[in-house]
PDB file of all heavy atoms in Angstrom:
ATOM      1  N   PRO B  10     -23.273  22.814  -1.387  1.00 97.00           N
ATOM      2  CA  PRO B  10     -22.967  24.137  -0.849  1.00 97.00           C
ATOM      3  C   PRO B  10     -21.497  24.268  -0.476  1.00 97.00           C
ATOM      4  O   PRO B  10     -20.811  23.285  -0.349  1.00 97.00           O
ATOM      5  CB  PRO B  10     -23.918  24.242   0.330  1.00 97.00           C
ATOM      6  CG  PRO B  10     -24.011  22.843   0.866  1.00 97.00           C
ATOM      7  CD  PRO B  10     -24.021  22.000  -0.372  1.00 97.00           C
ATOM      8  N   LEU B  34     -14.384  11.461 -12.430  1.00 95.00           N
ATOM      9  CA  LEU B  34     -14.791  12.344 -11.299  1.00 95.00           C
ATOM     10  C   LEU B  34     -14.449  11.588  -9.984  1.00 95.00           C
ATOM     11  O   LEU B  34     -14.730  10.381  -9.856  1.00 95.00           O
ATOM     12  CB  LEU B  34     -16.259  12.631 -11.334  1.00 95.00           C
ATOM     13  CG  LEU B  34     -16.841  13.629 -10.255  1.00 95.00           C
ATOM     14  CD1 LEU B  34     -17.924  14.506 -10.913  1.00 95.00           C
ATOM     15  CD2 LEU B  34     -17.241  12.936  -9.002  1.00 95.00           C
ATOM     16  N   GLN B  43      -5.082  17.392   7.754  1.00 93.00           N
ATOM     17  CA  GLN B  43      -4.622  16.224   7.038  1.00 93.00           C
ATOM     18  C   GLN B  43      -4.733  16.370   5.512  1.00 93.00           C
ATOM     19  O   GLN B  43      -5.344  17.344   5.033  1.00 93.00           O
ATOM     20  CB  GLN B  43      -5.502  15.056   7.465  1.00 93.00           C
ATOM     21  CG  GLN B  43      -5.446  14.719   8.969  1.00 93.00           C
ATOM     22  CD  GLN B  43      -4.132  14.289   9.438  1.00 93.00           C
ATOM     23  OE1 GLN B  43      -3.400  13.491   8.751  1.00 93.00           O
ATOM     24  NE2 GLN B  43      -3.625  14.841  10.591  1.00 93.00           N
ATOM     25  N   ARG B  71     -23.687   9.412 -10.052  1.00 97.00           N
ATOM     26  CA  ARG B  71     -23.394  10.328 -11.191  1.00 97.00           C
ATOM     27  C   ARG B  71     -24.244   9.835 -12.397  1.00 97.00           C
ATOM     28  O   ARG B  71     -23.732   9.270 -13.338  1.00 97.00           O
ATOM     29  CB  ARG B  71     -21.913  10.289 -11.566  1.00 97.00           C
ATOM     30  CG  ARG B  71     -21.476  11.431 -12.461  1.00 97.00           C
ATOM     31  CD  ARG B  71     -20.003  11.218 -12.857  1.00 97.00           C
ATOM     32  NE  ARG B  71     -19.501  12.367 -13.664  1.00 97.00           N
ATOM     33  CZ  ARG B  71     -18.399  12.294 -14.375  1.00 97.00           C
ATOM     34  NH1 ARG B  71     -17.684  11.201 -14.460  1.00 97.00           N
ATOM     35  NH2 ARG B  71     -18.033  13.358 -15.104  1.00 97.00           N
ATOM     36  N   GLN B  85     -22.990  11.547  11.468  1.00 97.00           N
ATOM     37  CA  GLN B  85     -22.347  11.436  12.753  1.00 97.00           C
ATOM     38  C   GLN B  85     -21.294  12.486  12.885  1.00 97.00           C
ATOM     39  O   GLN B  85     -20.801  12.992  11.868  1.00 97.00           O
ATOM     40  CB  GLN B  85     -21.764  10.017  12.964  1.00 97.00           C
ATOM     41  CG  GLN B  85     -22.883   8.960  12.964  1.00 97.00           C
ATOM     42  CD  GLN B  85     -22.299   7.539  13.046  1.00 97.00           C
ATOM     43  OE1 GLN B  85     -21.101   7.357  13.311  1.00 97.00           O
ATOM     44  NE2 GLN B  85     -23.139   6.532  12.945  1.00 97.00           N
ATOM     45  N   GLN B  86     -20.878  12.804  14.115  1.00 96.00           N
ATOM     46  CA  GLN B  86     -19.890  13.894  14.326  1.00 96.00           C
ATOM     47  C   GLN B  86     -18.576  13.625  13.547  1.00 96.00           C
ATOM     48  O   GLN B  86     -17.930  14.540  13.047  1.00 96.00           O
ATOM     49  CB  GLN B  86     -19.614  14.092  15.823  1.00 96.00           C
ATOM     50  CG  GLN B  86     -20.726  14.836  16.492  1.00 96.00           C
ATOM     51  CD  GLN B  86     -20.309  15.400  17.848  1.00 96.00           C
ATOM     52  OE1 GLN B  86     -19.619  14.697  18.565  1.00 96.00           O
ATOM     53  NE2 GLN B  86     -20.768  16.575  18.178  1.00 96.00           N
ATOM     54  N   ASP B  88     -18.170  12.595  10.722  1.00 97.00           N
ATOM     55  CA  ASP B  88     -18.353  12.878   9.330  1.00 97.00           C
ATOM     56  C   ASP B  88     -17.918  14.329   9.019  1.00 97.00           C
ATOM     57  O   ASP B  88     -17.783  14.704   7.807  1.00 97.00           O
ATOM     58  CB  ASP B  88     -19.770  12.701   8.828  1.00 97.00           C
ATOM     59  CG  ASP B  88     -20.245  11.267   9.003  1.00 97.00           C
ATOM     60  OD1 ASP B  88     -19.432  10.340   8.995  1.00 97.00           O
ATOM     61  OD2 ASP B  88     -21.498  11.054   9.153  1.00 97.00           O
ATOM     62  N   GLY B 101      -5.411   7.419 -17.285  1.00 63.00           N
ATOM     63  CA  GLY B 101      -4.098   7.499 -17.944  1.00 63.00           C
ATOM     64  C   GLY B 101      -3.316   8.618 -17.307  1.00 63.00           C
ATOM     65  O   GLY B 101      -2.528   9.293 -17.905  1.00 63.00           O
TER      66      GLY B 101
END
Side-chain angles (χ1 to χ4, degrees):
Chain B
L34 185 145
Q43 301 297 314
R71 193 185 185 197
Q85 300 178 4
Q86 283 194 320
D88 300 335

